[in-house]
Amino acid sequence: MLHHHTKGNPLRASILFAATTSLAIAGPALGNDRHVPTDDAKVGAEGWDSEIVVLGTRETPADPTLSSGKTTERMSQSSRSIERDLLAAAGAYRLADALELVSGVSNQNNRGGIMDNFAIRGFLGTPDGGAEYYVDGFLANRGMAPPRDPATAERIELLKGPSGALFGDIDPGGRVNLVSKTPRFERAASATFTYGSFDTKRVELDATGPLSSTLAARIVFAAEDSDGWRDFVTLRRRVVAPSLTWAPSDGARVTYIGEITQFDAPFDRGVPAIAGDANAVPRNLFYGEPGDGVTRFRNQRHQLTGVFGLGDGWTLNTGIAYRTGTLQGYSSDHTSLRADGRTLWRQRRLRDYSVDDLSARAELSGSVGAHQIAIGVKGYYLDYHDKYLRRSPNASAPYAIDVYAPVYGGTAPTPVPFVDNREKRWAGTVYVQDMWDVTGRLTLLGGLRIDPYRQRLRNNLTGVTGRNVDAPVNGRVGARYRVSDVLALHANWGESFLLNSGTDRNGDGFAPERGHGYEIGASAAWRGVNLAATWFDITKQGILTNDPTDPGYLAPVGKLTSHGIEFDASANLDRHWQVVANYAWTHARTDDATFATDRVLDVPTHSGTLFLVGRYLDADGRGPSLSGGVTYVGDRAGAIDTSGLVLPAYAKAKAAAEYAFSPRVSVRLEADNLFDAHYAQSSYSPVWVFPGAPRTVRASLKIRV
């Protein structure tokens, strides 16, 4: 367990702890010369026995207990897997940085800087909980979770369309799955030290190796401290991820992965728009109160997965995961900009959230003739306590701040109980699917699932308890036709179901989100070149967004429809250069007269990225590498109230240069937002606009042993 209060320098203490543990793992490995299984043969997209497109170089074979399965990969031609080397080349220090490399993903409200949130194909996560994503095939932010640190990820899979889901889950838009680093049976260790703009200090340690011929261990540690680019908005982040793999035979593999995270930062609602201009005020100005201190996020994950060969091509894939977390802290949040255009009223809040989430799954899969069959069961128990206190401003106690000349330290009002909900869920899933290779070119897919659940939501302020019990049935179908060895066509259709948390402004709970949609597309692959184009059309009901009557609450959208086309490409231009490119046209609209606009919050009509990596290494692994790219995001709705706020389009460039003095030592210099564009990254309301970061420069040293 990590402790927030550490004598002396907390960063130094954390580094020493991880370094000592790393040596304990790597030390025996360095002296172990016995033959052990090898699991790190390098493979690229054209050499990997998989049909999901791999962006970068895959260092290790995919563990089927953590990654997408054979059926998902075969039927998801629009899906992409972003590998570790490309994440490093792109300088992906945040999940949002990585998702720029795949089409159709847009930034959403980050809830004061304390969560990852994005939309896929125009469909948002909830403003409070964020977009749901998986880690190793388990839903990892049900209720809430801190921002992900990519140091723990081996790859990030963006699985699109109704086939883009794991272990029976279905969503017409798609899912993100982060695959954790796991132990290898070959010794390796590395340390990366980074210093950058705004006095940012970051350390990453990674050590792995065999403990015996059947047991291997790994530990990953990352620590980051920063003064931040916004006034008074500091950052302190720690993550420790130990793991063990036991492989008693070729047909059995069991892996434990743990993850302990601390994330401390002031709750930051960004800046207000002035007269419809989201970029009117300096992006560094902070309108909360430094005296509120930081919001502290604590999160632990522990999971155990296993895959067992049963013979005759049949496999049992099992797993269990437990996650617990808390979020606590004060904040002073903007509520309204007064008529003078510079006086910002604020409310004081105290958040005190907690979550316990226990999940389990088992899937039996195998072949019967030309049929690849999967039968699975899943279940989870969620206990989520959503509690916060607030004090709203009024004319006699506005708790105001000047937008252009903020002065801090005013008398803070004492918040009073406002929301205190305790939600408990018991949910299960039983599913079956069949992928049928009708001919050598045609593959068909059919799947059906039933999701019995019981949801209980108690309002502790009123004593009212609401219950929701149901067992919906959903299905999906798909087809893939290989026209030639180069060209393939695909089509998928699916239905979705998702439980919603929280209450509306009347204290009532929400009905589940329901959806259906399809995609059709084509993909082409030559040696070193992958192209894909996909058309999608999706409709959902019951999606939560901020209430246009009172943005302090949530409200469901009557119906949200999104259709569009996406293009993704990756190519090795020669033996040195690789290019990754994407473009998305997304037409997302709501059909709900309650909202003043039919545009969907923070979803651009046009977006795209072009990124290049060049490596000039000699036979001894020495030499330079260059990378750079540009991301374009079109204008987006910045509010769904009568203000009509629009966030203007922007383009953001990045570049990096790296030099390897040997396979063991390299240095890197990188810059994000290279030309210092001033832009609004996302918005929740006209007074909660989160600005994009200014030019950020980082230098790092990496040592491998």
Side-chain angles (χ1 to χ4, degrees), residues 55 78-80 82 98-106 119-121 158 160 173 532-534 536 565-569 580-586 607-609:
L55 301 180
S78 56
S79 298
R80 296 292 182 268
I82 311 168
L99 297 181
E100 288 178 350
L101 297 169
V102 183
S103 65
V105 183
S106 54
I120 300 176
R121 291 182 170 177
L158 182 50
K160 293 188 182 179
T534 303
F536 62 87
I565 189 167
E566 298 169 341
F567 297 95
D568 286 272
V580 174
N582 64 71
Y583 166 77
W585 174 77
T586 307
S607 62
T609 292

Side-chain angles (χ1 to χ4, degrees), residues 52-205:
I52 190 172
V53 175
V54 173
L55 301 180
T57 301
R58 180 162 289 182
E59 296 283 343
T60 58
D63 184 337
T65 67
L66 311 179
S67 299
S68 52
K70 182 185 298 184
T71 299
T72 298
E73 294 187 343
R74 174 77 64 83
M75 303 304 292
S76 300
Q77 299 297 291
S78 56
S79 298
R80 296 292 182 268
S81 176
I82 311 168
E83 302 300 314
R84 180 74 248 170
D85 65 327
L86 188 58
L87 291 173
Y93 292 90
R94 304 292 182 268
L95 180 57
D97 299 332
L99 297 181
E100 288 178 350
L101 297 169
V102 183
S103 65
V105 183
S106 54
N107 283 309
Q108 294 289 305
N109 158 57
N110 63 14
R111 200 184 188 188
I114 60 169
M115 73 176 184
D116 296 308
N117 198 5
F118 49 85
I120 300 176
R121 291 182 170 177
F123 291 97
L124 352 164
T126 67
D128 282 352
E132 290 189 324
Y133 59 80
Y134 289 86
V135 174
D136 304 326
F138 290 101
L139 198 57
N141 64 334
R142 191 162 27 221
M144 62 175 189
R148 297 294 307 177
D149 191 310
T152 63
E154 183 69 31
R155 64 181 61 93
I156 298 176
E157 300 173 336
L158 182 50
L159 306 167
K160 293 188 182 179
S163 294
L166 300 171
F167 309 110
D169 286 4
I170 303 172
D171 187 278
R175 295 289 198 193
V176 169
N177 181 49
L178 294 92
V179 180
S180 298
K181 293 178 178 177
T182 53
R184 301 184 187 182
F185 281 93
E186 290 189 351
R187 61 181 180 263
S190 66
T192 304
F193 305 92
T194 302
Y195 183 79
S197 302
F198 321 111
D199 197 27
T200 298
K201 300 175 286 291
R202 181 176 171 87
V203 175
E204 295 181 23
L205 303 176

Side-chain angles (χ1 to χ4, degrees), residues 230 268-283 285-288 333-338 341-346 401-404 638 645 647 678 680 682-691:
R230 284 180 48 73
D268 178 17
R269 288 295 192 183
V271 302
I274 307 295
D277 183 357
N279 297 318
V281 301
R283 57 191 166 189
L285 292 183
F286 176 58
Y287 298 110
D333 299 355
H334 332 151
T335 58
S336 64
L337 185 67
R338 311 314 292 172
R342 64 182 303 153
T343 302
L344 188 64
W345 283 13
R346 302 175 300 173
I401 195 168
D402 190 316
V403 168
Y404 295 101
L645 178 65
L647 307 184
H678 189 176
S682 62
S683 179
Y684 183 73
S685 76
V687 294
W688 290 352
V689 178
F690 201 83

